[in-house]
C-alpha cells in the first residue's frame, strides 16, 4: 500500500529493533498484541476476587490463559481460525468479549499471523519471525532472569544478536557463567528455526498498572539487562478499530504506524568534540 | 536544585517573561501576585534591574516553577525564534498567543537540552518564498511540488506526514490541552523549525491537513508577516497540493454529487488520508465540482453532523517521535526523566507534555472556557492536590510543610478581551 512508502524507504539501514518494530507495527501485529494484552488484563482483574480464594498465582495463570486466547482471536488462530469458505463465526469470535474489547479489536486479515509454538510454549509468527510470551515481576522486566524461566525461554534468550557489528565483551558468554546453564542448552544450536522474540508482560495487581514490551531477549547470566533491545507496546495505537464484518473486510492494516524518526545516542567522541 | 540566592545572581529576564507567558499572566497580574509594581516586573524582564533572592523565591512560587527556571542559560533560543504563524490571529487573544509561543519555545529548549545526549535528523526544509502580493499565481502549488521532489516523496499519497517532517529535522509536538484555544502553529527557531499541534481535534485526517498547512508556512513564509488572509490561504493551497496533487487527483474526484459520489469520497479519504471536506474543497478549487454542487455537499455534511466529526477508518492520530524517542533511548542508558527534567530546568508536567507521543488527556470536566488563558504551570500541582484530596479527607500540604496553592489564583484566569471568540 502506498501509505507505507516511508517505512519502505527507511528499512535499508535500520537496526534489527527498528526493522522488526516497523514490520510488526506496520502490519498491525503489535496493535493486535496490545489489544490482546489489554483485553486479557481487564478481564483477569475483573474476575479476580481474593474473597473467593484467588491469589496472585491464580491471577498470573488466568492472565496468561486469557492473553493466549485473545491473541488467537485477534490473529484468527487456533479455535478462531477461519476454515474453508464459511468465513469467521463472529458469535464465536466475540463470545464473552466486552463492548470495549469488540470495538477496539484491530481488524487483521486471517492468516496474517499463524500459531508457531516452540517446544510446547505458545507462540505466534508473522512472516519469518516468531514471538513467545513471558511474564515478569512488575517494574523488573528489564532484568527478567531468564535462567529462572523454562528451557525454551532460555533457548530463545541464547539466540545470537544480529546487531552486534563488532566483538563485544557482552555478546558472548563468560566462561565462568557457563556452569549455571543447563547442559541441554549448551548443546543446542543458538539459531532457532525462526528468529524468535519475546513479548514480556507484567501487572501490578494493586494499582492495575501494566508493562508490555516486545524485544530480543538476552541470556543474562549473573544478572544484567534481559534484552538486547526491547520496545514498549503500551503506546502502540490500536489503529483501525471497529467490528469485523467478515473475511471480506478490507485488508486491515495499521496505516498510522511507521518507525520513529532516526534519533541516535551521541557517542563519547561526539561529546568530546 | 538551584537556590533563589544563586538564581538572583544569574537571573535572566527573558526566562521570567517566558514563565509569565506560560502562566498566561500580564505584567500587572504578576506584579499583583507578588505585591510589587508592574514597572518592577518590566525592569526585571528587560534586564534593567535584578530581583533580590527573596523576590526570586516569590516569583517562583507565584509562577509555580523552581527558582532555577529563571537562571541564565548558554543558548537563549527564545530570542532567536521567528514570529510564529497563528491562524485566526484576530480571534486569538495576545495572552493566548504569548502563552502558545512560550510553550513552543519551551519545546525547543527541551529539544536543545536533550540534544546534548542524542542526535536528531538534520533540518532539511527547503525554502521556497512565495510573494504575498502575487496571490493569483501558482506559487503555493509550485512550492508543494518542490517539497515532494526535494524529499523524494514520489507520486501517490504522502505517508506518515508527522514522521516525514521529523525525518527532515522538524520538531513536532502536541501543545498542552490547556492551551487548546490556539490552533496548530509553527515557527522557525535557530536550531530547527517547530510545529505545535492542537491536541483537541483528535482527527487523523484533519491533523494531517494542519501539519501540511504549517509546513507550507515554514517553506513559503519565513519572511512574510504572519496572520494575513493571503498567507493563510497560500498555506491551505500548499497543503492541498502536497496531500492531493492536482495532476493525480483531478480525474478521481466526483464531478456531480450523488450516492456513488459519497462512496468515492469515502474511498479517496482513506487512500489520500484527507478529510471529505478537504476533498470537496479540492474538487471545487480544481473546477471539477461546480459551486452549487459544492454548497449542496457541504449542506449535506452539516446535516449529517460531519462538519465536526466525519466518519473515517483511522481513529488514531499521527504521533510525533523525536522527543519521546530521545527520552526512551536515554532511559535505556539509565538517564531517567528526573535527571533530564533537572537538566532542562522545566516543570516536570510540561516536560512530560512536550515529550509525549500522544496528547495528554484534557483536564477533568468542566472543561475550561477556551477563551480563558489558564496557567500551563499549575496543572501538575492541581493534579497532585486532587489526588491527595481523593485519598484522604485531610488535605495534605506539600513538601516541607508549605502548603501548595490548590487552585489557580483567580487573577490567573483572565477574561478575553471584548469581541474575542474561539479560534477556529
Amino acid at each position: 500500500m502506498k501509505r507505507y512508502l516511508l517505512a519502505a524507504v527507511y528499512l535499508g539501514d535500520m537496526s534489527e529493533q527498528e526493522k522488526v518494530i516497523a514490520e510488526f507495527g506496520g502490519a498491525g501485529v503489535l496493535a493486535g498484541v496490545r489489544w490482546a494484552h489489554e483485553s486479557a488484563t481487564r478481564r483477569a482483574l475483573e474476575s479476580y476476587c481474593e474473597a473467593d480464594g484467588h491469589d496472585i498465582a491464580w491471577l498470573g495463570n488466568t492472565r496468561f490463559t486469557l492473553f493466549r486466547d485473545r491473541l488467537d482471536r485477534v490473529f484468527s488462530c487456533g479455535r478462531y481460525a477461519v476454515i474453508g469458505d464459511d468465513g469467521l463465526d463472529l458469535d464465536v469470535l466475540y463470545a464473552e468479549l466486552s463492548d470495549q474489547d469488540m470495538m477496539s479489536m484491530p481488524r487483521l486479515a486471517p492468516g496474517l499471523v499463524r500459531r508457531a509454538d516452540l517446544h510446547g510454549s505458545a507462540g505466534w509468527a508473522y512472516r519469518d519471525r516468531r514471538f513467545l510470551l513471558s511474564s515478569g515481576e512488575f517494574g523488573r522486566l528489564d532484568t527478567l532472569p531468564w535462567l529462572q524461566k523454562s528451557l525454551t525461554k532460555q533457548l530463545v534468550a541464547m539466540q545470537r544478536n544480529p546487531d552486534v557489528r563488532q566483538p563485544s565483551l557482552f555478546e558472548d558468554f563468560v566462561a565462568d557463567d557457563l556452569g549455571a546453564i543447563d547442559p541441554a542448552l549448551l548443546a543446542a544450536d543458538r539459531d532457532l528455526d525462526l528468529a524468535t522474540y519475546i513479548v514480556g508482560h507484567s501487572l501490578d495487581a494493586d494499582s492495575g498498572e501494566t508493562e508490555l514490551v516486545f524485544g530480543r531477549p538476552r541470556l543474562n547470566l549473573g544478572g544484567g539487562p534481559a534484552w538486547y533491545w526491547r520496545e514498549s507496546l503500551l503506546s502502540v495505537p490500536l489503529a483501525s478499530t471497529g467490528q469485523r464484518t467478515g473475511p471480506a473486510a478490507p485488508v486491515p492494516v495499521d496505516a498510522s504506524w511507521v518507525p520513529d524518526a532516526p534519533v541516535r545516542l551521541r557517542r563519547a567522541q561526539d561529546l568530546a568534540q | 536544585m538551584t537556590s533563589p540566592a544563586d538564581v538572583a545572581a544569574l537571573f535572566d529576564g527573558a526566562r521570567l517573561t517566558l514563565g509569565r507567558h506560560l502562566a498566561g499572566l500580564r505584567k500587572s497580574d504578576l506584579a499583583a501576585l507578588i505585591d510589587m509594581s508592574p514597572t518592577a516586573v518590566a525592569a526585571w524582564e528587560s534586564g534593567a534591574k535584578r530581583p533580590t533572592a527573596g523576590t526570586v523565591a516569590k516569583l517562583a512560587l507565584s509562577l509555580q516553577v523552581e527558582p532555577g527556571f529563571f537562571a541564565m542559560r548558554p543558548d537563549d533560543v527564545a530570542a532567536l525564534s521567528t514570529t510564529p504563524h497563528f491562524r485566526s490571529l484576530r480571534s486569538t487573544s495576545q495572552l493566548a498567543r504569548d502563552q502558545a509561543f512560550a510553550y513552543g519555545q519551551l519545546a525547543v529548549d527541551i529539544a536543545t537540552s536533550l540534544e546534548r545526549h542524542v542526535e536528531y535528523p538534520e533540518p532539511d526544509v527547503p525554502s521556497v518564498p512565495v510573494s504575498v502580493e502575487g496571490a493569483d499565481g501558482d506559487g503555493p502549488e509550485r512550492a508543494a511540488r518542490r517539497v515532494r521532489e526535494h524529499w523524494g516523496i514520489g507520486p501517490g499519497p504522502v505517508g506518515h506526514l508527522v514522521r516525514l517532517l521529523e525525518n527532515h529535522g522538524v520538531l513536532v509536538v502536541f501543545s498542552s490541552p490547556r492551551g487548546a484555544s490556539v490552533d496548530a502553529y509553527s515557527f522557525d527557531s535557530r536550531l530547527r523549525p517547530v510545529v505545535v499541534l492542537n491536541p483537541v481535534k483528535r482527527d487523523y485526517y484533519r491533523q494531517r491537513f494542519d501539519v501540511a498547512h504549517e509546513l507550507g508556512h515554514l517553506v513559503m513564509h519565513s519572511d512574510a508577516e504572519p496572520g494575513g488572509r493571503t498567507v493563510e490561504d497560500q498555506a491551505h493551497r500548499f497543503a492541498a497540493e502536497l496531500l492531493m496533487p492536482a495532476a493525480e487527483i483531478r480525474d478521481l474526484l466526483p464531478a456531480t454529487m450523488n450516492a456513488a459520489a459519497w462512496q468515492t469520497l469515502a474511498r479517496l479519504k482513506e487512500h489520500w488520508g484527507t478529510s471529505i471536506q478537504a476533498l470537496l474543497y479540492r474538487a471545487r478549487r480544481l473546477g471539477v465540482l461546480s459551486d452549487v454542487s459544492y454548497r449542496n455537499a457541504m449542506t449535506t455534511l452539516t446535516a449529517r453532523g460531519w462538519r465536526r466529526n466525519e466518519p473515517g477508518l483511522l481513529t488514531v492520530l499521527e504521533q510525533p517521535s523525536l522527543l519521546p524517542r530521545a527520552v526512551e533511548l536515554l532511559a535505556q542508558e539509565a538517564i531517567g526523566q528526573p535527571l533530564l527534567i533537572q537538566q532542562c530546568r522545566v516543570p516536570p508536567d510540561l516536560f512530560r507534555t512536550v515529550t509525549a507521543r500522544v496528547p495528554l488527556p484534557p483536564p477533568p470536566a468542566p472543561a475550561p472556557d477556551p477563551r480563558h488563558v489558564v496557567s500551563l504551570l499549575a496543572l501538575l500541582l492541581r493534579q497532585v492536590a486532587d489526588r491527595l484530596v481523593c485519598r484522604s479527607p485531610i488535605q495534605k500540604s506539600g513538601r516541607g510543610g508549605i502548603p501548595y496553592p490548590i487552585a489557580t489564583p483567580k487573577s490567573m484566569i483572565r477574561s478575553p478581551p471584548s469581541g474575542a471568540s474561539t479560534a477556529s
Side-chain angles (χ1 to χ4, degrees):
Chain A
M1 197 170 160
K2 282 175 179 169
R3 203 170 260 157
Y4 299 113
L5 185 66
L6 283 178
V9 166
Y10 286 97
L11 278 174
D13 49 357
M14 284 176 168
S15 66
E16 186 198 38
Q17 174 175 9
E18 290 168 318
K19 216 178 290 176
V20 173
I21 295 298
E23 276 179 27
F24 274 58
V29 180
L30 297 183
V33 173
R34 184 184 158 198
W35 173 85
H37 172 255
E38 286 184 2
S39 168
T41 306
R42 249 194 316 268
R43 173 52 55 87
L45 282 173
E46 279 166 15
S47 314
Y48 180 59
C49 174
E50 284 185 355
D52 199 17
H54 299 166
D55 58 10
I56 294 298
W58 181 95
L59 185 62
N61 220 347
T62 306
R63 209 158 59 86
F64 169 75
T65 309
L66 292 175
F67 196 1
R68 190 181 52 195
D69 171 83
R70 301 306 192 252
L71 285 166
D72 278 344
R73 290 193 201 227
V74 72
F75 296 136
S76 309
C77 295
R79 63 192 292 248
Y80 306 101
V82 180
I83 300 164
D85 297 328
D86 295 342
L88 286 169
D89 186 337
L90 294 181
D91 288 344
V92 174
L93 182 72
Y94 288 142
E96 300 298 321
L97 291 188
S98 67
D99 286 349
Q100 184 184 359
D101 287 341
M102 280 191 261
M103 291 307 293
S104 59
M105 182 193 271
R107 298 173 302 175
L108 300 173
L112 181 81
V113 173
R114 60 189 187 280
R115 266 307 272 270
D117 294 358
L118 181 65
H119 306 318
S121 275
W124 292 260
Y126 168 62
R127 295 186 177 159
D128 55 352
R129 303 184 199 272
R130 170 204 282 129
F131 64 88
L132 309 180
L133 307 180
S134 188
S135 65
E137 192 182 336
F138 182 79
R140 301 212 170 151
L141 279 189
D142 281 351
T143 51
L144 213 153
W146 296 112
L147 283 184
Q148 292 170 23
K149 293 281 169 185
S150 68
L151 264 184
T152 306
K153 304 289 162 57
Q154 295 179 36
L155 207 57
V156 173
M158 260 186 62
Q159 293 171 104
R160 278 172 228 283
N161 175 17
D163 266 351
V164 173
R165 297 185 178 99
Q166 55 193 16
S168 151
L169 281 178
F170 303 105
E171 161 61 359
D172 284 302
F173 308 120
V174 181
D176 291 350
D177 289 332
L178 293 180
I181 307 181
D182 191 297
L185 270 185
L186 282 178
D189 191 340
R190 286 181 68 188
D191 296 318
L192 298 172
D193 57 333
L194 293 174
T196 304
Y197 306 82
I198 297 278
V199 169
H201 57 105
S202 73
L203 166 70
D204 179 358
D206 294 330
S207 67
E209 277 186 87
T210 62
E211 293 170 305
L212 180 68
V213 302
F214 186 104
R216 177 177 275 283
R218 172 186 172 277
L219 192 59
N220 46 352
L221 300 168
W227 309 89
Y228 287 113
W229 57 264
R230 53 118 186 87
E231 186 96 8
S232 171
L233 300 189
L234 291 180
S235 55
V236 168
L238 288 175
S240 40
T241 54
Q243 298 194 24
R244 288 188 200 213
T245 51
V251 178
V253 264
D254 180 354
S256 65
W257 209 98
V258 300
D260 281 350
V263 178
R264 74 170 187 91
L265 284 170
R266 285 187 194 280
R267 295 183 303 272
Q269 57 263 39
D270 295 337
L271 293 171
Q273 284 169 5
Chain B
M1 197 175 95
T2 322
S3 75
D6 294 339
V7 174
L10 299 166
F11 190 84
D12 180 359
R15 297 290 295 177
L16 177 59
T17 312
L18 189 73
R20 179 171 64 77
H21 284 165
L22 286 171
L25 296 176
R26 296 190 176 87
K27 284 184 190 130
S28 53
D29 303 326
L30 179 59
L33 277 178
I34 59 166
D35 212 12
M36 299 287 277
S37 71
T39 325
V41 174
W44 299 326
E45 291 193 4
S46 68
K49 282 187 183 160
R50 206 171 266 184
T52 62
T55 311
V56 168
K58 275 204 249 175
L59 287 169
L61 197 64
S62 304
L63 296 178
Q64 299 182 346
V65 293
E66 294 284 345
F69 181 86
F70 302 120
M72 205 172 288
R73 52 193 64 214
D75 291 315
D76 183 10
V77 287
L80 297 163
S81 298
T82 60
T83 314
H85 286 277
F86 289 115
R87 264 180 261 175
S88 324
L89 266 192
R90 275 164 298 185
S91 60
T92 311
S93 74
Q94 184 63 42
L95 221 50
R97 270 181 276 151
D98 285 344
Q99 186 181 53
F101 190 26
Y103 181 88
Q105 289 168 321
L106 198 78
V108 178
D109 221 22
I110 291 173
T112 313
S113 207
L114 298 182
E115 208 162 3
R116 277 189 282 166
H117 308 290
V118 298
E119 262 179 77
Y120 308 120
E122 281 295 308
D124 177 28
V125 178
S127 175
V128 189
V130 172
S131 163
V132 179
E133 310 302 322
D136 293 334
D138 66 345
E141 286 76 15
R142 274 191 289 114
R145 289 195 288 272
R146 174 76 206 288
V147 169
R148 272 186 162 255
E149 187 189 318
H150 186 74
W151 285 357
I153 296 176
V158 180
H160 195 302
L161 195 59
V162 164
R163 196 69 74 252
L164 186 66
L165 265 69
E166 290 188 322
N167 286 337
H168 293 89
V170 180
L171 177 64
V172 183
V173 297
F174 279 112
S175 66
S176 161
R178 298 222 140 200
S181 62
V182 172
D183 227 319
Y185 58 97
S186 56
F187 61 94
D188 201 359
S189 74
R190 183 176 61 83
L191 296 158
R192 57 188 65 250
V194 182
V195 172
V196 182
L197 301 172
N198 181 311
V200 168
K201 282 190 183 170
R202 293 178 186 273
D203 182 301
Y204 168 85
Y205 309 88
R206 288 172 68 187
Q207 179 179 289
R208 278 168 59 83
F209 202 87
D210 281 355
V211 173
H213 176 106
E214 295 309 324
L215 177 63
H217 283 316
L218 292 172
V219 169
M220 303 183 293
H221 299 138
S222 53
D223 295 325
E225 188 69 27
R229 199 192 170 95
T230 311
V231 167
E232 291 305 304
D233 185 51
Q234 287 179 341
H236 260 66
R237 285 167 54 193
F238 174 96
E241 178 67 16
L242 184 81
L243 295 173
M244 305 167 279
E248 294 179 59
I249 207 162
R250 190 190 303 270
D251 294 341
L252 306 174
L253 290 164
T256 50
M257 290 308 297
N258 50 31
W262 288 103
Q263 282 172 14
T264 304
L265 286 170
R267 259 202 319 276
L268 290 175
K269 168 175 180 155
E270 300 306 334
H271 184 68
W272 295 88
T274 51
S275 68
I276 290 178
Q277 288 171 74
L279 285 160
L280 282 170
Y281 183 79
R282 191 76 175 134
R284 185 180 69 160
R285 179 110 203 165
L286 293 175
V288 178
L289 204 60
S290 71
D291 283 357
V292 175
S293 297
Y294 173 78
R295 269 200 303 278
N296 288 342
M298 291 308 281
T299 310
T300 308
L301 276 178
T302 310
R304 294 182 187 178
W306 289 359
R307 283 294 279 271
R308 291 214 167 271
N309 192 12
E310 270 188 30
L313 285 179
L314 287 172
T315 54
V316 177
L317 300 178
E318 288 186 358
Q319 298 172 2
S321 72
L322 221 56
L323 296 184
R325 184 74 199 146
V327 171
E328 285 162 16
L329 273 178
L330 292 171
Q332 286 176 20
E333 296 295 306
I335 303 176
Q337 278 202 13
L339 185 64
L340 295 175
I341 289 168
Q342 197 188 357
Q343 283 184 2
C344 296
R345 286 188 286 186
V346 292
D349 176 43
L350 277 180
F351 181 89
R352 279 188 277 274
T353 309
V354 167
T355 59
R357 281 185 192 271
V358 289
L360 294 186
D369 184 334
R371 291 168 302 176
H372 290 168
V373 180
V374 178
S375 174
L376 296 182
L377 299 168
L379 185 59
L380 178 70
L381 291 176
R382 270 167 47 137
Q383 285 172 344
V384 170
D386 289 348
R387 274 206 295 274
L388 288 175
V389 170
C390 287
R391 281 188 181 167
S392 160
I394 304 163
Q395 197 161 303
K396 295 182 182 174
S397 63
R399 278 172 297 170
I402 304 166
Y404 280 129
I406 301 295
T408 312
K410 272 187 186 161
S411 56
M412 282 180 151
I413 302 174
R414 307 291 316 172
S415 295
S418 59
S421 63
T422 314
S424 60

